[in-house]
Amino acid sequence: MKNLFNLNGKRALITGSAQGIGFLLAQGLGHQGAEIIVNDITQERAESAAQQLRDEGITAHAFGFNVTLSGEVTNAIANIENTIGPIDILINNAGIQRRYPFTEFPESEWDAVINVNQKSVFLVSQQVAKFMMTRKAGKIINICSMQSELGRETITPYAAAKGAVKMLTRGMCVELAPYNIQVNGIAPGYFDTAMTKALVENEEFSQWLFKRTPAARWGKPEELVGSAIFLSSSASNFVNGHLVFVDGGMLAAV
């Protein structure tokens, strides 16, 4: 019982983890004993982040590959499994945001948002799950969003993608649970990050957010780490197909 949250001996691949929330999750899991595989679209950024983790005493590797390209994903996952070792934990964190009014949203930007936020979860999970199934063990965590449940102006494709990831999480659970693979999601509320910088600096929006959220503040990115550790550990072995909303109570309020 005392080792429920211990990740010693576990290996975690976190997509888009060279910076931002992904890097914080890498730090959090790493300090609980997990070996971390940092992913970024460029090898240079992935290696820089991995070195920062190593400087903190965390075992870390760097794998640069584009999570939206099936060929790169297939080769990278096979390479990791063959050269580093089995992937015990996958966190699908890579994401982007674009903002335009719905009727003016460029098709190219729509495609980019859907590819990074939705398609990549399918591509990476599919390849990792094949290996997990043979071992009959694994944890897959998809980073969802408040927009998995709620809409907001100017980010319709993001909401469409995150809503799809919610249902992808549940569908994967149904198919993979018989292989002792747990698939869950973390749905952050409004956090003070680089992606939300424009909103954080908008005083009118912040005041609306404080009134709308029972906790009456922006979330701190490090407050997502605990949920990731829980869903990565044996403490969540019978938790499957769920979204954990880390939102200060926002979804519960009217």
Coordinates of all heavy atoms in Angstrom, one line a residue, residues 92-95 117-118 143-149 157-167 243:
N92 N -0.2 11.4 -23.9 CA -0.4 12.2 -25.1 C -0.7 13.6 -24.7 O -1.8 14.0 -24.5 CB -1.6 11.6 -25.9 CG -1.3 10.3 -26.5 OD1 -0.3 10.2 -27.3 ND2 -2.0 9.2 -26.1
N93 N 0.4 14.4 -24.8 CA 0.3 15.8 -24.3 C 0.4 16.8 -25.4 O 0.0 18.0 -25.3 CB 1.4 16.1 -23.3 CG 1.7 17.5 -23.0 OD1 0.9 18.1 -22.2 ND2 2.7 18.1 -23.6
A94 N 1.0 16.5 -26.5 CA 1.3 17.5 -27.6 C 0.0 18.2 -28.0 O -1.1 17.6 -28.2 CB 1.9 16.7 -28.8
G95 N 0.1 19.5 -28.1 CA -1.1 20.3 -28.5 C -0.8 21.7 -29.0 O 0.3 22.2 -28.6
N117 N -3.8 17.9 -32.1 CA -4.5 17.7 -30.9 C -5.3 16.4 -30.9 O -5.7 15.8 -29.8 CB -5.5 18.8 -30.6 CG -4.8 20.1 -30.2 OD1 -4.2 20.2 -29.2 ND2 -4.8 21.1 -31.2
Q118 N -5.7 15.9 -32.1 CA -6.5 14.7 -32.2 C -5.8 13.5 -32.9 O -5.7 12.4 -32.3 CB -7.8 15.0 -32.9 CG -8.8 13.8 -33.1 CD -10.0 14.2 -33.9 OE1 -10.4 15.4 -33.9 NE2 -10.6 13.2 -34.5
I143 N -4.2 14.0 -22.6 CA -4.5 15.4 -22.1 C -5.7 15.9 -22.8 O -5.6 16.3 -24.0 CB -3.3 16.3 -22.2 CG1 -2.1 15.6 -21.4 CG2 -3.6 17.7 -21.6 CD1 -2.3 15.4 -19.9
C144 N -6.8 16.1 -22.1 CA -8.0 16.6 -22.7 C -8.1 18.1 -22.4 O -7.1 18.8 -22.3 CB -9.2 15.8 -22.2 SG -9.2 14.0 -22.8
S145 N -9.3 18.5 -22.1 CA -9.5 20.0 -21.8 C -10.9 20.2 -21.3 O -11.8 19.4 -21.4 CB -9.3 20.7 -23.1 OG -9.7 22.1 -23.0
M146 N -11.1 21.4 -20.8 CA -12.5 21.9 -20.5 C -13.3 21.9 -21.8 O -14.5 21.7 -21.8 CB -12.5 23.3 -19.9 CG -11.9 23.4 -18.5 SD -12.9 22.5 -17.3 CE -14.4 23.4 -17.3
Q147 N -12.6 22.1 -22.9 CA -13.3 22.1 -24.2 C -13.6 20.7 -24.7 O -14.2 20.5 -25.8 CB -12.4 22.8 -25.3 CG -12.7 24.3 -25.3 CD -12.3 25.0 -24.0 OE1 -11.2 24.9 -23.5 NE2 -13.2 25.8 -23.4
S148 N -13.3 19.7 -23.9 CA -13.8 18.3 -24.2 C -15.3 18.3 -23.8 O -16.1 17.4 -24.2 CB -13.1 17.3 -23.3 OG -11.8 17.2 -23.7
E149 N -15.8 19.3 -23.0 CA -17.2 19.4 -22.6 C -17.8 20.7 -22.9 O -19.1 20.8 -23.1 CB -17.3 19.2 -21.1 CG -16.8 17.8 -20.6 CD -17.8 16.7 -20.9 OE1 -18.9 17.0 -21.4 OE2 -17.4 15.5 -20.8
P157 N -12.2 24.4 -33.6 CA -11.5 23.2 -33.9 C -10.8 22.6 -32.7 O -10.7 21.3 -32.6 CB -10.5 23.6 -35.0 CG -10.4 25.1 -34.9 CD -11.7 25.6 -34.4
Y158 N -10.4 23.4 -31.8 CA -9.7 22.9 -30.6 C -10.8 22.1 -29.8 O -10.5 21.0 -29.3 CB -9.1 24.1 -29.8 CG -8.4 23.7 -28.6 CD1 -7.1 23.2 -28.6 CD2 -9.0 23.7 -27.3 CE1 -6.4 22.9 -27.5 CE2 -8.3 23.3 -26.2 CZ -7.0 22.9 -26.3 OH -6.3 22.5 -25.1
A159 N -12.0 22.7 -29.6 CA -13.0 22.0 -28.9 C -13.4 20.7 -29.6 O -13.7 19.7 -29.0 CB -14.2 22.9 -28.8
A160 N -13.5 20.8 -31.0 CA -13.8 19.6 -31.7 C -12.8 18.5 -31.5 O -13.1 17.3 -31.3 CB -13.9 19.9 -33.2
A161 N -11.5 18.9 -31.5 CA -10.4 17.9 -31.3 C -10.5 17.3 -29.9 O -10.4 16.1 -29.7 CB -9.1 18.5 -31.6
K162 N -10.6 18.2 -28.9 CA -10.6 17.7 -27.5 C -11.8 16.9 -27.1 O -11.8 16.0 -26.3 CB -10.4 18.9 -26.5 CG -9.1 19.6 -26.6 CD -7.9 18.6 -26.3 CE -6.6 19.3 -26.2 NZ -5.5 18.4 -25.9
G163 N -13.0 17.2 -27.7 CA -14.2 16.4 -27.6 C -13.9 15.0 -28.2 O -14.4 14.0 -27.6
A164 N -13.3 15.0 -29.3 CA -13.0 13.7 -29.9 C -12.0 12.9 -29.1 O -12.1 11.7 -29.0 CB -12.4 13.9 -31.3
V165 N -11.0 13.6 -28.5 CA -10.1 12.8 -27.6 C -10.8 12.2 -26.4 O -10.4 11.1 -25.9 CB -8.9 13.8 -27.2 CG1 -8.0 13.1 -26.2 CG2 -8.1 14.2 -28.4
K166 N -11.8 12.9 -25.9 CA -12.6 12.4 -24.8 C -13.2 11.0 -25.2 O -13.1 10.0 -24.5 CB -13.7 13.3 -24.4 CG -14.6 12.7 -23.3 CD -15.8 13.6 -23.0 CE -16.8 13.6 -24.2 NZ -18.1 14.3 -23.8
M167 N -13.8 11.0 -26.4 CA -14.4 9.7 -26.8 C -13.4 8.7 -27.3 O -13.6 7.5 -27.2 CB -15.4 10.0 -27.9 CG -16.6 10.9 -27.5 SD -17.4 10.3 -25.9 CE -17.9 8.6 -26.4
L243 N -12.3 10.8 -17.3 CA -11.6 12.1 -17.4 C -11.5 12.7 -16.0 O -12.5 12.8 -15.4 CB -12.3 13.1 -18.4 CG -11.9 13.2 -19.8 CD1 -12.1 11.8 -20.5 CD2 -12.6 14.3 -20.6

